[in-house]
Amino acid sequence: MDQHRRRAALALRIPGGRDGRRMLVVALIDKTGTGLWATAVALYFTHVTGMSLAQVGILIGVSGGVGIAGAPLAGRLADRFPVTRVLIAAQLLRAAALLALLTTHDYALLLLWSAIGALPDRASNVLTKLYAARIAGPRRVRYQAFNRTVSNLGWSLGGLGAAAVLTIGTATAYQVLLIGNVLSYVAIAALTSRCAEPPSPSRVVTTADATPTAPAKPSNPWRDRTFLLYTTTEAALFLDDAILQVGMPLWIVHATDAPVGLAPLLLVLNSVLVVLFQVPLARFGATSTAARRLLIPLAGLFTAGCLAMAASTAGGRWTAIATLTAAAVALTFAEMIHAIVSWELSLVLAPADAQGAYLGVHGLASSTQRSVGPLLVTAVIAAGPLAWPVLGAGFAATCLAQHRLVRHRLPAAPLSDPSVTVSEHR
């Protein structure tokens, strides 16, 4: 009886049933394996295969550019075939392409395998998001919050594992990390094969605030101007990742009196905050109208973070540490709020019969940010402290534009918000 009660309580806390929980394990293993390899990939190409820094840069840039096509391609396939089968195929292709890197030191072949591996890598993000939407139904925002939490845990575990192995510094150590990532892909393919295909999207895409009066949506995302404009604004809001991962360390080193060691500590703080607060925050965006309202505080968080970055040059060491910590906290909360908003709106703007295609196009936003984001952030750093408030104003304007853009495409709001179970507050 106690075991039955525990299972019932778990089902209330984590949407999606057994398959939903199994997919969270998939996310944890996936990101742990990726964390192992992501830390070592550039070092592997330089120390093991003998590439120059320029060659490594070209390889990563080209493969990243090819990988952009993975998101829309996966979305189209998922609208035509069972999403679990497409996801398994993507996971196995990731494993095969990564394992192929061990077979050669030829630059052309390494470039080829890296480009091939980038396609299913970007595709997997769209496919797991689509699976979550179908398995969790109206509680998809809460489910995605759990997904982001375990993903951050996985990244942290993988990074710690890589740091331990990289202390050895041999070619074998790098190969061990690569094989560890390959095994993670094989493991998640096996786990995914045990997950049932989720119900038809037409039965789960309706949110708690949906009504029959919701506006009709075009079935082709490339002909949907509103959605394309929304995706364009999304590319700008995903820049928080580039600021935290690239901009913060460079700004600390080149523009402030803060110690260099603060940079990794702020990244740890980012992960800890996501683990602690992503799930509790999800309840504030549980409906499409609630998610849209979050764009207003999101504008404030982005602005506060950018102003704190600018203020970090105004004083000495301790002022820099305090303002940079404040910036990291504000931008981390912006990251979490944006994840909630983006997750819900990207789904509610899509028609039921073309969810995969729409999410594939939406995936281009994060892919574009990965390519362009570091360039924009380094340009802001080169321009000096006054560029940060300008960037913050740009973020705020983008949030407000998005708030206005989607207002006519959302389902009509209910007379009152849906009730929230006690478990939602834990």
Side-chain angles (χ1 to χ4, degrees), residues 252-344:
I252 288 173
V253 172
H254 295 289
T256 76
D257 294 325
V260 176
L262 181 64
L265 293 178
L266 293 180
L267 290 178
V268 171
L269 176 63
N270 170 264
S271 295
V272 170
L273 290 175
V274 171
V275 170
L276 291 177
F277 292 104
Q278 185 69 76
V279 173
L281 286 173
R283 66 191 180 93
F284 294 106
T287 67
S288 57
T289 52
R292 177 175 175 256
R293 285 195 297 267
L294 287 177
L295 285 166
I296 304 302
L298 179 59
L301 287 168
F302 273 126
T303 302
C306 289
L307 289 175
M309 290 289 285
S312 64
T313 63
R317 178 188 181 94
W318 291 108
T319 299
I321 292 173
T323 51
L324 287 167
T325 302
V329 171
L331 291 171
T332 298
F333 273 89
E335 173 192 342
M336 290 187 284
I337 295 297
H338 177 237
I340 294 168
V341 175
S342 176
W343 168 242
E344 176 63 16

Side-chain angles (χ1 to χ4, degrees), residues 187-209:
I188 61 177
L191 280 173
T192 303
S193 69
R194 298 179 60 191
C195 294
E197 181 67 15
S200 167
S202 62
R203 296 200 297 269
V204 299
V205 295
T206 303
T207 57
D209 58 351

Side-chain angles (χ1 to χ4, degrees), residues 153-172:
L153 282 173
W155 272 107
S156 300
L157 292 173
L160 290 173
V165 174
L166 288 175
T167 58
I168 301 172
T170 63
T172 301

